Amino acid sequence: MATNGKNCIFAGAGHGEGKNLGLYRGGLYRLHPGADDWQSVAAGLPENVEVRTIVVHPHESNVIFVGTQDGPYRSTDGGDHWERLGFPDRGAVIWTMSVHPTQPNIVYAGTAPIALYRSEDGGDNWRKLPQAISPAHCEREGFDSRTIRITVNPARPDDIYAALEVSGVIRSSDAGETWRDMSASLIELAEQPHLQSNVGGRHCGHCEGMLDSHALAISPAAPESAFLALRMGLFRSDDRGAAWYDTNIDRFSPLTYCRDVIVSPHDPRVFYAGLSEAAFSTAGSLYRSDDIAQTWRRIDHGVAVESTVMAVAVHPSDAG
């Protein structure tokens, strides 16, 4: 991202979990161009902050939002200082945030357990959206299903999709006031033997993998189509989520666990996807499509990614 006239990279680091809890130095970090070391930028953030999402405002590069274990925080000086916003619920774990593509004062946030919030004043104040609840297809004791991605259709600004991990997809057609579950087709697809997966012991049985949503992308070049990254691959809908079908990403990649899919801000026909072996693995890869996710080619050029690729980002001003 560009901040204070420079191109910086931000990263959130965890403190470890399970037997590794507290083993690592977590927090929020910034890397300046040409620097060798990451700089901690946690002034104003909660103690032992866990940053799960980082969003740079598309029109004001010094305005950055982060999702933490105590709601959303914002910086207006490129990350030097942070402030907690007027968010109604203390202790809400924010997993995703999204700035509206055509109304930049509108910002959405999603939590675990699943709930969605909207700000209409650039993040100063927030309201919890009604009816935005999990369809609870795959709840499990000890694991809160989470809102993992909020995507606004650039051609239908009232159409909002929320990808839920692990509970499928919900959609609003009125800017978030009401929601519909769009997961029935995903559950039907799970009847196919090669799309069956249950690794978490959840009550949804073999449907678990098809409800394990990770990301959702919509391109201005194909505004009626939504692309959904799942544990079982990359799936597409051409009718606003009513029906989904497999894009058969395995035609192009031996790795099909799809954690992220995004549209290039420079060319709406260009998509990027992170494909890996599994949620915890030693094999990850990066792919690019130049034809709205019809065909894919690998672009990591032999760089060994010895872990799962969790997220992909594109430089906002440099298409290269």
Side-chain angles (χ1 to χ4, degrees):
M1 60 153 288
T3 177
N4 295 329
K6 299 181 179 179
N7 296 317
C8 295
I9 299 173
F10 283 81
H15 298 271
E17 57 186 38
K19 64 180 181 180
N20 293 322
L21 183 63
L23 183 62
Y24 304 106
R25 182 187 175 194
L28 180 66
Y29 296 87
R30 180 177 62 194
L31 183 69
H32 286 283
D36 295 324
D37 298 320
W38 290 83
Q39 172 193 17
S40 176
V41 284
L45 291 175
E47 185 178 359
N48 296 320
V49 64
E50 294 274 1
V51 173
R52 291 170 172 82
T53 185
I54 304 169
V55 175
V56 181
H57 196 285
H59 303 301
E60 299 178 65
S61 61
N62 280 333
V63 175
I64 310 164
F65 298 95
V66 295
T68 78
Q69 72 271 34
D70 188 30
Y73 281 69
R74 181 182 62 197
S75 172
T76 58
D77 56 11
D80 290 335
H81 305 90
W82 298 88
E83 61 176 337
R84 190 181 189 276
L85 303 172
F87 196 77
D89 298 324
R90 303 277 344 187
V93 183
I94 305 293
W95 278 87
T96 184
M97 298 182 70
S98 178
V99 179
H100 196 286
T102 61
Q103 302 177 65
N105 282 333
I106 296 179
V107 188
Y108 292 93
T111 67
I114 293 170
L116 286 106
Y117 298 77
R118 183 176 66 209
S119 170
E120 297 181 356
D121 54 13
D124 289 340
N125 299 284
W126 296 79
R127 178 172 68 93
K128 188 175 183 178
L129 296 173
Q131 300 184 30
I133 59 173
S134 168
H137 294 304
C138 269
E139 300 293 351
R140 185 189 74 186
E141 185 177 357
F143 179 95
D144 288 329
S145 289
R146 56 189 64 136
T147 315
I148 201 72
R149 183 66 56 87
I150 301 170
T151 304
V152 181
N153 187 333
R156 294 175 179 262
D158 286 339
D159 261 19
I160 305 167
Y161 295 76
L164 311 179
E165 183 191 31
V166 178
S167 277
V169 178
I170 57 176
R171 191 198 78 213
S172 173
S173 300
D174 52 15
E177 295 303 318
T178 59
W179 296 84
R180 293 179 56 196
D181 182 13
M182 312 307 295
S183 307
S185 174
L186 299 174
I187 295 173
E188 290 179 6
L189 285 169
E191 296 300 321
Q192 302 179 32
H194 72 288
L195 296 179
Q196 296 179 2
S197 172
N198 187 323
V199 297
R202 295 175 176 85
H203 65 76
C204 50
H206 63 254
C207 297
E208 182 189 297
M210 286 301 298
L211 295 171
D212 191 10
S213 300
H214 296 146
L216 192 149
I218 300 175
S219 169
E224 298 304 313
S225 299
F227 295 86
L228 177 65
L230 288 170
R231 179 192 305 173
M232 309 309 294
L234 181 65
F235 292 77
R236 174 174 178 161
S237 174
D238 296 320
D239 54 10
R240 303 169 69 205
W244 298 91
Y245 66 88
D246 193 350
T247 67
N248 301 117
I249 196 71
D250 58 349
R251 292 176 296 158
F252 310 100
S253 170
L255 306 177
T256 58
Y257 177 92
C258 193
R259 188 71 197 187
D260 200 9
V261 60
I262 64 169
V263 180
S264 169
H266 310 289
D267 184 343
R269 295 180 56 83
V270 173
F271 281 65
Y272 294 94
L275 299 171
S276 303
E277 196 171 45
F280 300 95
S281 73
T282 57
S285 59
L286 184 63
Y287 279 75
R288 170 178 168 143
S289 171
D290 296 310
D291 54 11
I292 316 180
Q294 299 297 310
T295 61
W296 295 85
R297 59 187 173 90
R298 190 166 182 171
I299 61 168
D300 48 43
H301 303 293
V303 176
V305 181
E306 298 179 357
S307 67
T308 300
V309 175
M310 299 297 286
V312 184
V314 176
H315 196 292
S317 60
D318 184 351

